[in-house]
Amino acid sequence: MGRPTTRVIYVDARDPEEEALWQAAQVLRSGGLVAFPTETVYGLGADATHEEAVTRLYQVKQRPPERPLIVHVTDAQQAWRLAHSVPAQAEELAQRFWPGPLTIVLPRHQEVPRVTCGGGDTIALRAPDHPIAQGLLRLAERPVAAPSANLSGAVSPVTAGHVLADFEGKLEMVLDGGRCRLGIESTVLDLTCQPPRVLRPGAVSLEALRQVIGEATWAEEPLEQRYKPRADVVLVEVQAGSERLAAVVEEARAGGDRVGLAGTAEGVRGVEADVVEVWGRRADAPGIARNLYVCLRRLDEAAVDLIVAEGLTGPGSEAAMHRLRSAAGRIVDAEHGQERPGGEELAV
Ligand code: TXA
Ligand code: MG
């Protein structure tokens, strides 16, 4: 296949034009790729039942074939048709959190192509809470596999511009619905084990899940290096205040690096770096999550050699901290001044 021309269509995020959604749905129905906004991040969509389309999606994203995709649906009814069995907990969670930023992992129905699920026997399902995503799913009349619309391992996109930076000329269409409301990916919950395990923290907290299903735990998995900007990242945990942050920046600059600093309004105060990005006030966890990827991408655009990121604490910061720990090559423990490795480049 030759290089497709990527059509960008502006769509009203609150009241999407039916004609634009219809065109995008036709692209999906004929096996093409469409990037579209959700309330979390932009997704790179393909018909989940179309093996060739899904295979091409993996190739375009440069994603390892064994890493499964999230399949997007309009509602629970459509979701359960893609699962081999549906526990009562799934019903309860869908009632409470769908449409919304929760992905539920269930046993895969045999009719869903294996390739969509990374070759495995489980399927990740989510009903997104965004009028464009919902309209597209309704008109496509089929489930849509959509990973975040970034090259594998890199920072997720929260604007159409971010999508184009990675994929211009590689997809048929991008629906531009402006900036994503939450800015960080969904919580992924595995319901194929007991107690259920959170595989990835997101906008739905562990506490909120426990209120619905009782017990749920964090998955203890090796931290993989993902969500990574081009520049290397050092994460400085914050408990000891800003002095350690300043020392890490100063040391890197003294070594000749152009250093980008990303942190809270309170944390970056008085710290001198080459470029500074503020992702919000310390107490505003949702605001920080919304700005996290925008700040990291801006620092890459500013061509820094190293990004020093301020760690986050407090309720609601788990998802952002998970992404920063994964992205970081080094983590500086501010309390003890010690260092440990961040996300590891796992062999695939
Ligand atoms: O908010 C989101 O979840 C966004 C939007 C577009 O919906 N999507 C997204 O997809 O972040 P992706 O592919 O970038 O991340 C999906 C995560 C990966 O960590 C993947 O390993 C996990 O979900 N996952 C998908 N299917 C799975 C399965 N069957 N079992 C376990 N984990 C799964
Ligand atoms: Mg992703």
Side-chain angles (χ1 to χ4, degrees), residues 44 56-63 69 147-154 167:
L44 175 51
R56 186 174 145 226
L57 192 161
Y58 273 94
Q59 283 165 358
V60 162
K61 191 174 153 80
Q62 295 172 22
R63 184 175 183 113
L69 306 174
S148 54
N150 53 275
L151 286 168
S152 185
F167 295 119

Short mmCIF file of all heavy atoms in Angstrom, two decimals, residues 44 56-63 69 147-154 167:
data_model
loop_
_atom_site.label_atom_id
_atom_site.label_comp_id
_atom_site.label_asym_id
_atom_site.label_seq_id
_atom_site.Cartn_x
_atom_site.Cartn_y
_atom_site.Cartn_z
N LEU A 44 -5.85 5.58 18.22
CA LEU A 44 -5.56 5.27 16.83
C LEU A 44 -6.42 4.07 16.48
O LEU A 44 -6.12 2.95 16.88
CB LEU A 44 -4.06 4.96 16.69
CG LEU A 44 -3.51 4.49 15.37
CD1 LEU A 44 -3.94 5.41 14.25
CD2 LEU A 44 -1.99 4.45 15.46
N ARG A 56 -2.11 -3.79 10.38
CA ARG A 56 -1.49 -2.55 9.91
C ARG A 56 -1.37 -1.53 11.06
O ARG A 56 -0.37 -0.83 11.17
CB ARG A 56 -2.34 -1.95 8.78
CG ARG A 56 -1.66 -0.76 8.16
CD ARG A 56 -2.39 -0.24 6.94
NE ARG A 56 -2.28 1.20 6.90
CZ ARG A 56 -3.28 2.04 6.67
NH1 ARG A 56 -4.50 1.58 6.42
NH2 ARG A 56 -3.06 3.33 6.65
N LEU A 57 -2.35 -1.51 11.94
CA LEU A 57 -2.30 -0.61 13.10
C LEU A 57 -1.04 -0.89 13.94
O LEU A 57 -0.31 0.02 14.33
CB LEU A 57 -3.57 -0.77 13.92
CG LEU A 57 -3.87 0.25 15.02
CD1 LEU A 57 -5.34 0.18 15.39
CD2 LEU A 57 -3.05 0.05 16.25
N TYR A 58 -0.81 -2.17 14.21
CA TYR A 58 0.40 -2.54 14.97
C TYR A 58 1.66 -2.05 14.25
O TYR A 58 2.59 -1.54 14.86
CB TYR A 58 0.48 -4.06 15.13
CG TYR A 58 -0.25 -4.62 16.33
CD1 TYR A 58 -1.56 -5.09 16.21
CD2 TYR A 58 0.36 -4.71 17.57
CE1 TYR A 58 -2.23 -5.63 17.30
CE2 TYR A 58 -0.30 -5.25 18.67
CZ TYR A 58 -1.60 -5.71 18.53
OH TYR A 58 -2.26 -6.23 19.61
N GLN A 59 1.67 -2.21 12.91
CA GLN A 59 2.86 -1.82 12.16
C GLN A 59 3.07 -0.32 12.21
O GLN A 59 4.18 0.16 12.45
CB GLN A 59 2.73 -2.27 10.70
CG GLN A 59 2.98 -3.75 10.53
CD GLN A 59 2.51 -4.27 9.17
OE1 GLN A 59 1.94 -3.51 8.37
NE2 GLN A 59 2.72 -5.54 8.92
N VAL A 60 2.00 0.42 11.97
CA VAL A 60 2.10 1.88 11.93
C VAL A 60 2.56 2.42 13.29
O VAL A 60 3.38 3.33 13.38
CB VAL A 60 0.74 2.49 11.52
CG1 VAL A 60 0.65 3.95 11.86
CG2 VAL A 60 0.51 2.28 10.04
N LYS A 61 2.04 1.83 14.35
CA LYS A 61 2.39 2.28 15.70
C LYS A 61 3.74 1.73 16.16
O LYS A 61 4.28 2.15 17.17
CB LYS A 61 1.27 1.87 16.67
CG LYS A 61 1.37 2.51 18.04
CD LYS A 61 0.19 2.19 18.92
CE LYS A 61 0.58 2.23 20.40
NZ LYS A 61 0.66 3.54 21.01
N GLN A 62 4.28 0.78 15.39
CA GLN A 62 5.51 0.07 15.75
C GLN A 62 5.36 -0.60 17.11
O GLN A 62 6.26 -0.57 17.95
CB GLN A 62 6.71 1.02 15.73
CG GLN A 62 7.01 1.55 14.34
CD GLN A 62 8.07 2.63 14.33
OE1 GLN A 62 8.88 2.75 15.25
NE2 GLN A 62 8.07 3.45 13.29
N ARG A 63 4.20 -1.18 17.31
CA ARG A 63 3.89 -1.82 18.59
C ARG A 63 4.25 -3.30 18.53
O ARG A 63 3.93 -3.97 17.55
CB ARG A 63 2.41 -1.67 18.88
CG ARG A 63 1.95 -2.21 20.24
CD ARG A 63 0.49 -1.87 20.37
NE ARG A 63 -0.10 -2.22 21.62
CZ ARG A 63 -0.54 -1.33 22.51
NH1 ARG A 63 -0.36 -0.03 22.30
NH2 ARG A 63 -1.16 -1.71 23.59
N LEU A 69 -4.50 -4.69 22.46
CA LEU A 69 -5.13 -3.39 22.25
C LEU A 69 -6.41 -3.28 23.08
O LEU A 69 -7.05 -4.30 23.36
CB LEU A 69 -5.49 -3.22 20.77
CG LEU A 69 -4.36 -3.43 19.77
CD1 LEU A 69 -4.93 -3.39 18.35
CD2 LEU A 69 -3.28 -2.37 19.95
N PRO A 147 -5.30 1.84 20.40
CA PRO A 147 -4.28 2.20 21.38
C PRO A 147 -4.14 3.72 21.37
O PRO A 147 -4.69 4.38 20.50
CB PRO A 147 -3.02 1.54 20.81
CG PRO A 147 -3.24 1.55 19.33
CD PRO A 147 -4.73 1.41 19.13
N SER A 148 -3.42 4.27 22.33
CA SER A 148 -3.13 5.70 22.28
C SER A 148 -2.39 5.98 20.96
O SER A 148 -1.57 5.18 20.51
CB SER A 148 -2.28 6.10 23.48
OG SER A 148 -1.12 5.29 23.58
N ALA A 149 -2.71 7.14 20.36
CA ALA A 149 -2.21 7.42 19.00
C ALA A 149 -0.82 8.05 19.03
O ALA A 149 -0.61 9.18 18.59
CB ALA A 149 -3.21 8.33 18.28
N ASN A 150 0.13 7.28 19.57
CA ASN A 150 1.54 7.70 19.59
C ASN A 150 2.38 6.51 19.14
O ASN A 150 1.93 5.37 19.23
CB ASN A 150 1.95 8.10 21.01
CG ASN A 150 1.62 7.01 22.02
OD1 ASN A 150 0.50 6.93 22.54
ND2 ASN A 150 2.58 6.13 22.27
N LEU A 151 3.60 6.79 18.69
CA LEU A 151 4.51 5.69 18.39
C LEU A 151 4.76 4.91 19.67
O LEU A 151 4.79 5.47 20.76
CB LEU A 151 5.83 6.24 17.82
CG LEU A 151 5.72 6.75 16.38
CD1 LEU A 151 6.97 7.54 15.99
CD2 LEU A 151 5.49 5.60 15.40
N SER A 152 4.92 3.61 19.52
CA SER A 152 5.07 2.73 20.67
C SER A 152 6.14 3.24 21.64
O SER A 152 7.24 3.59 21.22
CB SER A 152 5.44 1.33 20.17
OG SER A 152 5.48 0.43 21.24
N GLY A 153 5.79 3.30 22.91
CA GLY A 153 6.76 3.68 23.93
C GLY A 153 6.85 5.16 24.20
O GLY A 153 7.48 5.59 25.18
N ALA A 154 6.23 5.98 23.33
CA ALA A 154 6.39 7.43 23.45
C ALA A 154 5.22 8.06 24.21
O ALA A 154 4.30 7.39 24.66
CB ALA A 154 6.52 8.04 22.06
N PHE A 167 2.25 10.61 13.06
CA PHE A 167 1.60 9.75 12.05
C PHE A 167 1.16 10.43 10.76
O PHE A 167 0.44 9.82 9.98
CB PHE A 167 0.38 9.06 12.67
CG PHE A 167 0.75 8.11 13.78
CD1 PHE A 167 0.26 8.31 15.06
CD2 PHE A 167 1.57 7.02 13.54
CE1 PHE A 167 0.59 7.44 16.08
CE2 PHE A 167 1.91 6.14 14.55
CZ PHE A 167 1.41 6.35 15.83
#
